[in-house]
């Protein structure tokens, strides 16, 4: 089975972010970049599926600038078989990104396409289902566990109040959330092998985005809080302030 | 005609609170444009009563389809129904950024060839342009963006806009629903038990961390949640989800849910940056932690330094006392 995993380069989620001089972008100086966390879960899911089937091919694909090659190489070191970089300026408009991915995937012969449930930078939570619509494929979102059964996939997805078991025929697009397995670290052997694996680069067919950033700002400061007291004796005062000052209960 | 369409989510024949918040946001945009708000409702029954409520919260017209087959969310059929109705040409289409809305809105966006701004916390119109605020990077940055095109799609984060009554006609217009079932099939729903309200939508969240010591102690948090009322959901830190104490669906933070409740009670949670990412936009934050230096106290409005095993039961008892 041929599986594509869509991965995005994002700043490390622990990094301190600074708004750039233009007021519209993040100052990239000194930032460390990673594969967006849910995309790593998606890659782990694809690699495990391939391992349990004993056959298959996992290709990672990213829309981004040349620097995204670093994350694609990391994915190759984790065990992906091939990588495709669609060169283009990342945009907050997920539909533009989805169109660029769809242009590449429509004739790529993918039986399964995995995305992260949401990217850690723009957090649109939209590219996966958009890609599915563009490719006219069924889509299951927010999947924690996935199993291939013949020509179908059986997905466990988190829903309000429980877990839903959803079946979809292949080919399909699935967006992945955290499941049972943590993403693996690249082994030394994996890192060496990655150097010889194919990384194809081409220009993305990326339409102009229709979401324009006017301004980025730090979140509003929270006013300094107060310690109501120590231990159980503080409880009546806490209830009082919640009722009378905050008026939230 | 710059009208606005708002998808109204229901469950078991009752409107969800987030749907009324969406009506209020839609009203803001429609009023600025001089247009109408049309609500779109798909439900197994009871559409007339729900339409009346939508009218009270600002719907000029309610497009309502009744179907037993579509009582539960069926992604492809819902996408088709909404896209068909919205095809008439709307300035903006609103969804609640609920689990259903987040699944549905991107599918509709493709069918309408419209840009989608997800999980927005504020909406406005400036010289005819739609301007929205989106928290990004785990809430560490707020982006003010314009959404362009012939039609725009917005999903609204629950609990950030206060639903306000604004009586309009709420004229009921029947909506023909597609017969298609879609290609995905729900085989089974395994109920996790406990609260049915998603942590991302609940107006009150009680969240537990490693300081709760053991999974059995969650009964304490369940009792506290019950004492806080029916619209309270449980949340969790990643440490306890990783330990298998709680399901990932309850995890709050960078790799879990983002919540903006009126009240967030963090019990035995240290307040790591990745946890704060998911809850720092709560209106009021309460922290209970035995370590006075825990970072959670830096974002908490009110804190108690103490042992959760003692403070939580006492808090539950205090809330239950007749006033
Ligand atoms: C990529 C990445 C993503 C992450 N995503 C998330 C995420 O989505 N959500 C998330 O929560 N974390 C996330 N984390 C993990 C995060 O960094 C922290 O490790 C985690 O939040 C800690 O959970 P905790 O506060 O429950 O545990 P701890 O940090 O162990 O804190 C326990 C707290 O309980 C207090 N305590 C102990 N006993 C008691 C008692 N009897 N009464 C009262 N208080 C007591 C302690 O003083 C302490 O403050 C992520 C980390 C990474 C690297
Ligand atoms: N520029 C990109 N390149 C490759 N995949 C992407 C890109 N942007 C988003 N994705 C995929 O779509 C998922 C959801 O992104 P988003 O809709 O932006 O939250 C991500 O987790 C990735 O799997």
């Amino acid at each position: 089975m041929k599986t594509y995993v869509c991965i995005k380069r994002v700043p490390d989620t622990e990094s301190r972010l600074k708004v750039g001089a233009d007021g519209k972008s993040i100052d990239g100086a000194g930032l460390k970049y990673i594969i967006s966390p849910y995309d790593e879960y998606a890659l782990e899911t694809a690699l495990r599926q391939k391992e349990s089937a004993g056959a298959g091919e996992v290709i990672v694909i990213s829309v981004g600038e040349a620097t995204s090659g670093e994350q694609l190489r990391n994915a190759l070191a984790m065990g992906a078989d091939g990588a495709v970089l669609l060169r283009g300026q990342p945009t907050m408009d997920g539909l533009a990104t989805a169109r660029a991915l769809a242009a590449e995937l429509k004739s790529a012969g993918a039986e399964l396409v995995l995305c992260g449930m949401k990217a850690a930078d723009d957090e649109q939570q939209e590219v996966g289902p958009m890609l599915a619509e563009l490719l006219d494929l069924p889509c299951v979102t927010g999947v924690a566990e996935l199993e291939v059964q013949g020509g179908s996939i059986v997905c466990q997805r988190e829903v309000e109040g429980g877990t839903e078991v959803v079946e979809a025929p292949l080919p399909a697009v699935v967006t992945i959330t955290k499941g049972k397995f943590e993403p693996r670290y690249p082994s030394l052997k994996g890192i060496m092998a990655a150097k010889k694996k194919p990384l194809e680069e081409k220009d993305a067919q990326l339409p102009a985005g229709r979401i324009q950033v006017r301004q980025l700002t730090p979140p509003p400061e929270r006013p300094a809080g107060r310690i109501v007291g120590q231990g159980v004796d503080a409880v009546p005062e806490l209830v009082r302030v919640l009722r009378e000052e905050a008026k939230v209960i | 005609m710059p009208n606005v369409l708002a998808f109204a989510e229901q469950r078991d024949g009752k409107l969800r609170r987030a749907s009324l918040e969406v009506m209020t946001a839609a009203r803001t945009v429609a009023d600025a444009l001089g247009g109408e708000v049309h609500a779109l409702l798909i439900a197994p029954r009871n559409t007339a009563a729900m339409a009346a409520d939508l009218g009270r919260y600002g719907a000029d017209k309610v497009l309502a389809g009744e179907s037993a087959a579509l009582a539960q969310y069926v992604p492809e059929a819902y996408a088709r129904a909404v896209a068909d109705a919205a095809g008439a040409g709307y300035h903006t289409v609103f969804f609640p950024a609920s689990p259903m809305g987040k699944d549905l809105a991107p599918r509709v966006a493709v069918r309408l060839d419209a840009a989608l701004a997800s999980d927005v916390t504020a909406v406005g119109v400036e010289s005819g342009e739609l301007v929205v605020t989106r928290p990004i990077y785990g809430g560490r940055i707020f982006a003010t963006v314009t959404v362009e095109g012939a039609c725009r799609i917005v999903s609204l984060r629950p609990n950030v806009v206060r639903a306000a009554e604004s009586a309009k006609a709420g004229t009921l217009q029947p909506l023909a629903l597609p017969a298609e079932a879609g290609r995905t099939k729900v085989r089974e729903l395994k109920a996790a038990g406990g609260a049915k309200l998603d942590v991302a939508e609940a107006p009150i969240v009680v969240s537990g961390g490693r300081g709760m010591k053991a999974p059995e102690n969650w009964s304490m948090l369940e009792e506290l949640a019950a004492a806080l009322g029916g619209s309270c959901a449980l949340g969790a830190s990643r440490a306890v989800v990783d330990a298998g104490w709680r399901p990932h669906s309850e995890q709050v933070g960078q790799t879990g849910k983002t919540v903006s409740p009126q009240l967030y009670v963090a019990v035995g949670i240290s307040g790591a940056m990745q946890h704060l990412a998911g809850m720092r936009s709560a209106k009021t934050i309460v922290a209970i932690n035995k370590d006075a230096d825990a970072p959670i106290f830096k974002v908490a409005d009110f804190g108690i330094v103490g042992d959760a095993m003692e403070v939580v039961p006492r808090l539950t008892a205090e809330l239950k006392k007749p006033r």
Side-chain angles (χ1 to χ4, degrees):
Chain A
M1 190 162 89
K2 194 169 182 186
T3 302
Y4 274 82
V5 182
C6 302
I7 67 172
K8 189 175 192 190
R9 169 184 168 91
V10 301
D12 190 325
T13 56
E14 308 230 13
S15 40
R16 251 172 229 296
L17 298 175
K18 242 176 62 202
V19 177
D22 63 356
K24 296 178 182 193
S25 60
I26 297 294
D27 181 355
L31 286 187
K32 186 181 155 225
Y33 286 83
I34 57 170
I35 300 173
S36 186
Y38 287 124
D39 303 358
E40 276 201 332
Y41 289 117
L43 177 55
E44 182 64 32
T45 304
L47 294 172
R48 281 181 182 266
Q49 200 285 317
K50 178 186 155 182
E51 285 156 6
S52 74
E57 196 185 355
V58 176
I59 315 279
V60 284
I61 180 166
S62 190
V63 179
E65 289 165 299
T67 45
S68 293
E70 184 190 343
Q71 278 60 47
L72 289 169
R73 284 275 172 225
N74 288 347
L76 292 171
M78 283 169 72
D81 302 294
V84 182
L85 173 59
L86 303 175
R87 267 185 320 245
Q89 177 81 39
T91 160
M92 196 189 276
D93 185 348
L95 186 49
T97 310
R99 284 196 193 284
L101 290 167
E104 176 66 18
L105 292 180
K106 68 172 189 280
S107 52
E111 279 143 288
L112 182 60
V113 180
L114 301 185
C115 287
M117 186 176 74
K118 101 180 150 185
D121 53 357
D122 290 339
E123 302 195 315
Q124 287 276 40
Q125 213 171 319
E126 63 185 12
V127 170
M130 284 174 166
L131 181 56
E133 287 280 327
L134 292 168
L135 296 172
D136 193 19
L137 295 179
C139 179
V140 189
T141 58
V143 169
E145 269 177 63
L146 174 156
E147 202 187 316
V148 177
Q149 293 184 356
S152 297
I153 42 170
V154 177
C155 306
Q156 314 261 340
R157 74 187 285 265
E158 292 176 357
V159 294
E160 289 150 275
T163 306
E164 198 176 68
V165 185
V166 182
E167 185 178 335
L170 291 173
V173 178
V174 174
T175 77
I176 298 287
T177 182
K178 183 179 183 309
K180 281 201 292 225
F181 304 111
E182 283 303 310
R184 64 196 63 193
Y185 288 102
S187 63
L188 192 59
K189 207 168 127 226
I191 295 168
M192 297 310 290
K195 293 188 175 140
K196 295 198 199 79
K197 289 179 180 172
L199 196 164
E200 192 188 338
E201 274 193 47
K202 50 176 107 166
D203 288 331
Q205 292 176 40
L206 189 66
R210 289 175 296 182
I211 294 188
Q212 306 293 345
V213 176
R214 276 198 177 176
Q215 201 187 5
L216 299 184
T217 49
E221 289 280 332
R222 292 195 76 93
R226 74 172 191 259
I227 302 283
V228 176
Q230 313 277 328
V232 290
D233 295 343
V235 167
E237 174 61 3
L238 175 64
V239 173
R240 190 194 67 78
V241 294
L242 290 178
R243 284 189 176 138
E244 292 170 19
E245 290 181 26
K247 297 189 168 57
V248 286
I249 55 172
Chain B
M1 203 175 27
N3 290 343
V4 174
L5 186 68
F7 180 80
E9 186 175 338
Q10 61 84 41
R11 180 179 290 167
D12 303 329
K14 279 207 209 72
L15 285 176
R16 313 209 67 182
R17 170 204 297 263
S19 305
L20 300 179
E21 295 167 358
V22 161
M23 295 306 300
T24 298
R27 204 63 255 173
T28 308
V29 172
D31 288 345
L33 298 167
E36 295 188 343
V37 173
H38 299 171
L40 194 160
L41 179 63
I42 300 173
R45 58 179 180 277
N46 211 20
T47 47
M50 286 188 276
D53 284 339
L54 291 167
R56 210 151 42 80
Y57 280 85
D60 296 284
K61 194 152 79 174
V62 181
L63 315 171
E66 260 183 43
S67 156
L70 299 185
Q72 306 296 327
Y73 174 53
V74 182
E76 291 169 27
Y78 272 58
R80 156 78 51 90
V82 180
D84 284 354
Y90 284 93
H91 179 277
T92 302
V93 182
F94 275 95
F95 293 84
S98 59
M100 184 207 287
K102 284 181 179 164
D103 187 277
L104 178 57
R107 302 176 193 254
V108 173
V110 172
R111 291 170 191 235
L112 298 178
D113 186 19
L116 161 61
S118 304
D119 213 17
V120 313
T121 55
V123 297
V125 176
E126 284 174 33
S127 36
E129 266 199 293
L130 181 68
V131 184
V132 304
T133 304
R134 304 191 55 238
I136 54 175
Y137 295 95
R140 283 175 296 161
I141 299 282
F142 276 44
T144 310
V145 307
T146 56
V147 192
E148 296 163 5
C151 175
R152 309 142 188 83
I153 304 197
V154 169
S155 69
L156 181 74
R157 181 178 291 187
N159 295 316
V160 296
V161 168
R162 206 171 259 281
E165 292 198 22
S166 160
K168 293 286 180 305
T171 313
L172 188 65
Q173 181 177 313
L175 180 73
L177 294 174
E180 77 183 84
R183 291 165 287 188
T184 56
K185 301 260 174 308
V186 177
R187 270 199 186 171
E188 192 187 341
L189 182 66
K190 300 188 213 158
K196 285 274 182 286
L197 191 60
D198 189 73
V199 62
E201 278 184 83
I204 302 182
V205 174
V206 171
S207 227
R210 191 147 37 196
M212 285 303 295
K213 305 282 185 217
E216 332 43 293
N217 293 330
W218 250 258
S219 58
M220 264 185 231
L221 297 184
E222 277 160 17
E223 283 159 25
L224 174 58
L228 283 165
S231 46
C232 182
L234 292 179
S237 74
R238 169 155 164 183
V240 304
V241 171
D242 284 353
W245 297 0
R246 300 303 298 175
H248 180 251
S249 56
E250 289 181 4
Q251 183 178 318
V252 171
Q254 180 86 50
T255 43
K257 303 253 165 78
T258 306
V259 304
S260 297
Q262 294 292 307
L263 174 62
Y264 187 87
V265 185
V267 186
I269 293 179
S270 58
M273 187 191 303
Q274 295 90 354
H275 188 81
L276 302 185
M279 45 62 81
R280 65 178 311 145
S281 62
K283 179 163 176 277
T284 299
I285 297 173
V286 169
I288 300 169
N289 196 302
K290 69 173 186 191
D291 174 9
D293 293 326
I296 190 77
F297 286 122
K298 294 213 173 67
V299 299
D301 299 281
F302 307 109
I304 291 184
V305 179
D307 186 347
M309 304 301 128
E310 295 167 9
V311 174
V312 171
R314 183 63 208 281
L315 180 54
T316 306
E318 187 72 22
L319 289 165
K320 281 189 183 156
K321 271 191 200 159
R323 275 198 276 171

